[in-house]
Amino acid sequence: MAERGIELKGSSFTLSVLHINSPDIAQVKQQLQEKIAQAPEFFRAAPLVINIEKLTEVPDFIALSAAVRELALVPVGVSGILTDEGRAAARAAGLAVMTSGKVPAAAEPSPPAALLNQPGTRVHRGPVRSGQQIYAQSGSLVILGAVSNGAEVIADDSIHVYGALRGRAVAGAKGNDNARIYCQQLMSELVSVAGHYQLSDGLQGEHWEQAVSISLSGEQLKLDRL
């Protein structure tokens, strides 16, 4: 049998983050150039995330991205965006919208006791870290914590994540098309129900970073706010 031409895998990489305090792109470029001069080989062709959380206005992402590229850096995304306008502007400039940080514990409701005590349910307490895989065979999976980038949670039935879902979630792994995925904050690399999947790029719409349920409707995944 011929090997497949590609494999799609989750992973984690260390990225430099450029925190900018001014919308003045010329000033940002000059200060960044001075920083690069201190270790030019370290920064050469390095991927960069631009953090704008300290800005009170949305910068010109196209011009900002161009300025960064002129310094032989590779802008890959923007973090610290708080508005839909900013997210749309970043995507229009070809930049990924990235998030970081944890959902406060107070924002994560507790699951009902009936769910935890349901026969066949596997409960994992705490975060699922990058590189970990948790599988609930012949039942549902409850995660009392966040699922990190590069982590994978799998269940033959439904998946309940009481925290942020950043990694991959595969429900109905053996073909149960009634399975669902529930999470308190959708930021997933991939979600799948009974073999029907959607990647991160296709999820980043109105339900992104929201509490949602994901189910199968015909041949398509259906997302609903909780």
Side-chain angles (χ1 to χ4, degrees), residues 102-133:
K102 298 181 179 179
V103 179
E108 299 176 5
S110 299
L115 174 60
L116 296 180
N117 296 326
Q118 183 176 340
T121 296
R122 178 176 179 180
V123 180
H124 176 86
R125 300 179 185 275
V128 184
R129 305 190 186 281
S130 179
Q132 277 189 291
Q133 182 188 83

Side-chain angles (χ1 to χ4, degrees), residues 122-205:
R122 178 176 179 180
V123 180
H124 176 86
R125 300 179 185 275
V128 184
R129 305 190 186 281
S130 179
Q132 277 189 291
Q133 182 188 83
I134 308 294
Y135 176 36
Q137 186 174 15
S138 302
S140 295
L141 176 62
V142 176
I143 304 295
L144 302 180
V147 178
S148 301
N149 290 320
E152 188 171 50
V153 290
I154 306 171
D156 289 343
D157 291 329
S158 296
I159 295 174
H160 305 255
V161 179
Y162 287 84
L165 173 57
R166 296 186 177 89
R168 300 179 297 278
V170 179
K174 292 184 178 179
N176 179 6
D177 55 15
N178 291 317
R180 290 174 176 259
I181 298 171
Y182 302 88
C183 67
Q184 293 303 311
Q185 192 177 24
L186 177 65
M187 297 186 289
S188 186
E189 299 167 354
L190 175 148
V191 294
S192 173
V193 177
H196 301 267
Y197 69 91
Q198 185 67 267
L199 297 175
S200 175
D201 288 347
L203 297 171
Q204 294 185 28

Side-chain angles (χ1 to χ4, degrees), residues 48-68:
L48 192 71
V49 175
I50 302 169
N51 183 285
I52 66 163
E53 64 183 3
K54 294 184 179 180
L55 298 186
T56 58
E57 59 186 85
V58 177
D60 184 340
F61 285 121
I62 293 177
L64 181 57
S65 179
V68 169

